[in-house]
Amino acid sequence: MMRRMKCCIKKDMLEALRTGKVTLFVILAFGIGVLIMLFSVIFSDIPDSLMAELPGLDISSLEDMMSVLYPKRVRESVAVFGYYIGFFYSLVTILVCNGMLPKERKNGKWILPVQQGYEGRDFITGKCLVYGGLAGVSVFASMLVYYLVASTFMLRNMSFGNGLVLALVHGLNIFFILAFTILFSVWFGNGTVAAISMIGTVLFVPDIMRYLTIGRFLPTYMLTFVYDGMDTYSELVIPLILNIVLLLLTYILAVRKVEKNKNIL
């Protein structure tokens, strides 16, 4: 089994490199960081410029808006970056990865390996580990670099340890998001349904649950934790455990569907 797993992981790694998905994950993560950094430098100075050009002009509302959208404090800026990663990066990577396993099945790419003794669980596990892992590592690295760069010219109100934890948590967030997307595509037998389900969950649930007490105990609270730049790490325990449990349950259901209905291969 381990030999089969290693072969599937190696195959998916080569596939990710060949199809440019690794490049996409890295460029997208770091590209979002560069854009947010540039916007923070350019737009945050607009209120000061207006004040110099138009003395006496009331720009308090504009200042408040700019401080929220493009803050010049490390904690708030990292949180903004985390939000854009959670929104745009998740959206793009879900759309890129949601149909991989259904397409492989439809194109008959599993037939020969299955005849050689491979099982559906091997393909499923390989895809989740490789694509979820690559995307998660890309986000972790980009967020850590973003923190280090922001600390050089912004008001440093966040420790390196806190920045490291937030980067790790968001890397896990992206891993869970893509792993769930891939598993749902097998479970539903349709990548589109899986994509819609995950996009709806990632984009809307964190904002809705923010206003409900129960929201802090749900798996999506890990996203909210990063979006708010928190440092109360104990609050991550239950959401992280739930994410792991749900991922295992979804994995078991996906594998059972493959084993029950060989036609999905």
Side-chain angles (χ1 to χ4, degrees):
M1 178 178 176
M2 290 303 298
R3 182 188 63 81
R4 300 197 312 265
M5 192 67 62
K6 289 180 180 179
C7 289
C8 286
I9 290 175
K10 182 179 179 180
K11 185 267 294 182
D12 287 325
M13 284 290 293
L14 293 174
E15 176 190 77
L17 288 168
R18 178 178 55 81
T19 58
K21 289 185 176 67
V22 174
T23 303
L24 173 65
F25 291 163
V26 174
I27 291 179
L28 185 60
F30 281 90
I32 292 174
V34 171
L35 288 176
I36 299 301
M37 195 73 72
L38 288 176
F39 290 160
S40 297
V41 172
I42 296 172
F43 292 113
S44 61
D45 290 332
I46 290 179
D48 294 334
S49 299
L50 288 175
M51 181 67 74
E53 294 291 334
L54 301 170
L57 179 66
D58 184 8
I59 59 171
S60 57
S61 297
L62 180 60
E63 288 180 322
D64 292 339
M65 182 180 71
M66 288 301 175
S67 66
V68 172
L69 294 177
Y70 307 110
K72 276 197 168 182
R73 292 174 293 182
V74 174
R75 181 181 300 278
E76 288 76 8
S77 186
V78 168
V80 169
F81 174 54
Y83 179 81
Y84 278 91
I85 285 290
F87 192 95
F88 293 107
Y89 189 92
S90 295
L91 177 62
V92 173
T93 52
I94 287 172
L95 292 176
V96 168
C97 298
N98 76 90
M100 291 188 299
L101 288 181
K103 286 180 181 178
E104 285 188 355
R105 173 191 60 81
K106 183 178 180 181
N107 294 333
K109 293 184 177 180
W110 288 9
I111 296 176
L112 184 59
V114 168
Q115 292 176 345
Q116 299 299 317
Y118 285 83
E119 299 179 2
R121 72 175 68 227
D122 301 326
F123 308 121
I124 295 171
T125 305
K127 279 288 190 294
C128 290
L129 291 179
V130 170
Y131 286 94
L134 289 173
V137 169
S138 298
V139 167
F140 169 78
S142 65
M143 200 163 183
L144 195 57
V145 170
Y146 186 93
Y147 165 82
L148 294 174
V149 174
S151 297
T152 63
F153 69 96
M154 294 185 184
L155 176 63
R156 188 171 180 178
N157 59 345
M158 173 189 284
S159 67
F160 174 77
N162 192 193
L164 180 65
V165 171
L166 289 178
L168 178 61
V169 171
H170 221 22
L172 286 173
N173 284 335
I174 299 302
F175 171 80
F176 284 131
I177 288 170
L178 283 193
F180 277 122
T181 300
I182 293 169
L183 293 174
F184 283 158
S185 71
V186 177
W187 191 13
F188 293 126
N190 189 307
T192 302
V193 176
I196 292 174
S197 301
M198 286 308 302
I199 289 173
T201 300
V202 172
L203 299 191
F204 301 114
V205 173
D207 289 334
I208 295 174
M209 291 296 115
R210 184 188 297 269
Y211 302 101
L212 300 176
T213 304
I214 194 176
R216 61 185 297 190
F217 301 109
L218 298 179
T220 52
Y221 186 73
M222 289 179 64
L223 289 168
T224 304
F225 189 90
V226 176
Y227 296 167
D228 291 344
M230 298 181 185
D231 56 6
T232 49
Y233 307 130
S234 60
E235 295 182 359
L236 287 171
V237 175
I238 294 178
L240 177 59
I241 292 174
L242 285 178
N243 264 310
I244 295 173
V245 171
L246 290 175
L247 185 67
L248 290 175
L249 289 175
T250 308
Y251 174 80
I252 292 171
L253 290 172
V255 170
R256 283 184 176 177
K257 181 165 185 178
V258 169
E259 293 176 347
K260 182 178 179 181
N261 183 8
K262 297 298 182 180
N263 292 327
I264 196 171
L265 303 176

